[in-house]
Every structure is written in C-alpha cells, then in structure tokens.
Amino acid sequence: MDYRGALVDLDGTVYRGGHLVPGALDGLATLRERGIDVLFVTNNPTRSPASYASRLDDLGLDVSPERVLSAGAVTTDYLDRHHADERVFLIGSDGLREQFRERDLALTDEPERADVVVTSHHYGFDYDDLAAGLWALRSAETFIGTDPDLTYPDADGRDFPGSGAITRAVGGVARREPDHVLGKPSRETLDLALDRLGHPPERCFVVGDRPDTDVALGRRGGMTTALVLSGSTRREHLPTLSHRPDHVIDDISEVETVLMGDV
C-alpha cells in the first residue's frame, strides 16, 4: 500500500506522562523518511494545538500546531459551527476554557443560564462541579462531552480517570445522556482529521493504543489500523477486543513493518 498520511495518537503512543515512549523518535523518523504526512490526534482536550506543539518540541519533535488535532480543538470547532451564539457552561480545564475564549464563544459561570453544557477532563473536578452540572442540565438544551476516554495512562502505565468519567458522573446525576461525544472516534474528529491531511482515507492509516477510539476511528473512516501495546492495551487484552486492528505492534518504532504489510 502506498500510504500518504498517518493519524498518530499521543498519550500511550508517542509519550507516557512526560517521557517519550522508547523508539518513538525512530518510528516517527521512519514516517518522515517515507514521505508520509503525520497528523497527531489526541483525545486529551486540556491543551491547545500550540501547547501540544510546544510540548512535542520539548521532547525533541519539531511539530507545528497545524499538525495537531485535539479533542479540545474539535469541541471548539463544533461549538463555533453549531452553537456560536448560545451560552456555554463548561466543566473542564482552564486550557479548554481558554480555547473557547479565543474563539469568542459565549461562556457563562451561571448553571441556570446555560444553553449548552460541556463536560471534560478537569483535575479539580469535585462535588460543587457535580452539583453545578446537575443544575445546568435541567435547563440546557444540549449536552456535549469532549471525548469518551474513561481513563488515560501515565508514565508508569497506571490509568487515571479521563473526560469520559466526568461526563458519566454529570450525566448520571442528571439522568441524561450526552447529545454528542466528540474526540475520537466521532465523525466530527474524523472529518477534521482527513480534511487536515488532505489524502483519501484508503491512503491513510491510524496508529494508537486504544481499540475503542483509535482503531474505531480508523474503521469508521475506512483506514488501515495499527494498535500499539505501549499504552492502555496489553497483549492479554487482544482476544477480547471489540474493535479488531489490522496490525498489532509493540510500539511505534515497529511502524515500518506495518508499511511493508509484514505484521
């Protein structure tokens, strides 16, 4: 297959916590040498693309903000397209709030005035947030989760609660399901990613550590999928996966075997 583009996950694929996954630089160098355009796609909504580009630069990767698509960026774009004049009540990080402000979205700190409720990862999430979410969802017409990730891996492989856990908590107490959950594997993320790459999906592939987001995104778009075992998925999980990847590799340093079709 003559691949032209790759969607590459970050957490658990390129880095864990603040450290590169062993072999990540080699794997990404392989893609560059093969002339494959890379778009980094992450379900972590807490940083802007510019912040991610800066973080990757600190880790030794020269990446422009245009080469990063985050769940925060997808959510911001979605709100700007569909809810630009509505009041948004956010339960989420300061980084996501700043992304909303930069797009001049109408944020409100008053739950009862919300037209749209957005839930996302937030280290300070507490009982007050849960109560505010309950009150906001009594009147808000639209309920959006930035991404479905219940957990994310840290540097030593432990899982921590993610955006999906907070969305479930707020939705559970309000007895309401989100109207939209963005991030991978949503159609909104897929469309933005393919538009950013500019290559047909059959010429693209996805590399990531989560079957339910990375592999599912690739399946939805008709792309080849490669699951790495350097993040949330372990080899013992493979027999029970609901989303089966085309390839399984230990980490992204082995991406050459995927390009050659040898796995």
Side-chain angles (χ1 to χ4, degrees), residues 3 15-16 60 76-77 86 91 117 119 124 131 133 136 157 179 185 205 218-219 221 231:
Y3 292 111
Y15 53 67
R16 291 191 302 263
T76 303
D77 181 82
E86 299 177 39
I91 298 174
V117 174
T119 50
D179 299 293
F205 65 97
R219 291 289 189 200

Side-chain angles (χ1 to χ4, degrees), residues 226-246:
L227 179 70
V228 295
L229 302 179
S230 54
S232 294
T233 303
R234 303 287 184 265
R235 193 167 295 277
E236 58 266 27
H237 298 156
L238 298 180
T240 60
L241 296 183
S242 57
H243 300 280
R244 305 291 298 179
D246 297 303

Side-chain angles (χ1 to χ4, degrees), residues 15-260:
Y15 53 67
R16 291 191 302 263
H19 304 283
L20 285 170
V21 169
L25 291 179
D26 292 336
L28 294 170
T30 295
L31 296 178
R32 183 173 60 251
E33 290 162 4
R34 293 285 292 268
I36 294 172
D37 294 326
V38 174
L39 180 68
F40 296 99
V41 185
T42 174
N43 267 4
N44 188 329
T46 61
R47 295 171 177 259
S48 68
S51 178
Y52 276 111
S54 177
R55 182 180 188 185
L56 290 168
D57 182 67
D58 290 341
L59 293 172
L61 293 165
D62 183 14
V63 177
S64 70
E66 293 74 24
R67 294 288 89 189
V68 181
L69 181 64
S70 70
V74 174
T75 303
T76 303
D77 181 82
Y78 183 86
L79 291 171
D80 194 35
R81 289 173 182 266
H82 300 285
H83 302 281
D85 299 322
E86 299 177 39
R87 292 182 295 269
V88 177
F89 184 79
L90 171 64
I91 298 174
S93 68
D94 290 341
L96 182 59
R97 188 176 300 275
E98 185 59 31
Q99 291 176 71
F100 289 179
R101 285 179 176 145
E102 288 177 357
R103 198 70 70 91
D104 292 325
L105 296 173
L107 287 161
T108 180
D109 292 325
E110 300 177 49
E112 293 82 358
R113 299 188 67 223
D115 301 308
V116 181
V117 174
V118 176
T119 50
S120 185
H121 184 265
H122 176 30
Y123 285 116
F125 179 74
D126 58 16
Y127 186 88
D128 289 341
D129 289 318
L130 193 60
L134 170 62
W135 302 332
L137 285 175
R138 285 176 173 168
S139 58
E141 182 175 344
T142 306
F143 178 20
I144 295 172
T146 56
D147 62 274
D149 288 14
L150 291 174
T151 62
Y152 65 93
D154 74 348
D156 63 7
R158 293 182 303 173
D159 284 335
F160 283 81
S163 299
I166 291 174
T167 297
R168 285 194 183 186
V170 174
V173 75
R175 299 181 182 180
R176 182 169 170 180
E177 293 292 325
D179 299 293
H180 304 283
V181 177
L182 303 172
K184 297 177 288 188
S186 71
R187 170 57 63 176
E188 291 81 4
T189 297
L190 176 64
D191 289 345
L192 281 174
L194 288 175
D195 181 67
R196 192 80 62 85
L197 274 179
H199 300 297
E202 62 271 17
R203 296 296 185 190
C204 299
F205 65 97
V206 178
V207 183
D209 70 315
R210 300 184 71 105
D212 56 339
T213 57
D214 301 306
V215 174
L217 181 77
R219 291 289 189 200
R220 169 171 250 165
M223 293 176 277
T224 299
T225 57
L227 179 70
V228 295
L229 302 179
S230 54
S232 294
T233 303
R234 303 287 184 265
R235 193 167 295 277
E236 58 266 27
H237 298 156
L238 298 180
T240 60
L241 296 183
S242 57
H243 300 280
R244 305 291 298 179
D246 297 303
H247 306 281
V248 177
I249 54 180
D250 287 331
D251 56 57
I252 196 172
S253 69
E254 299 178 1
V255 71
E256 176 70 27
T257 59
V258 176
L259 300 178
M260 298 297 292

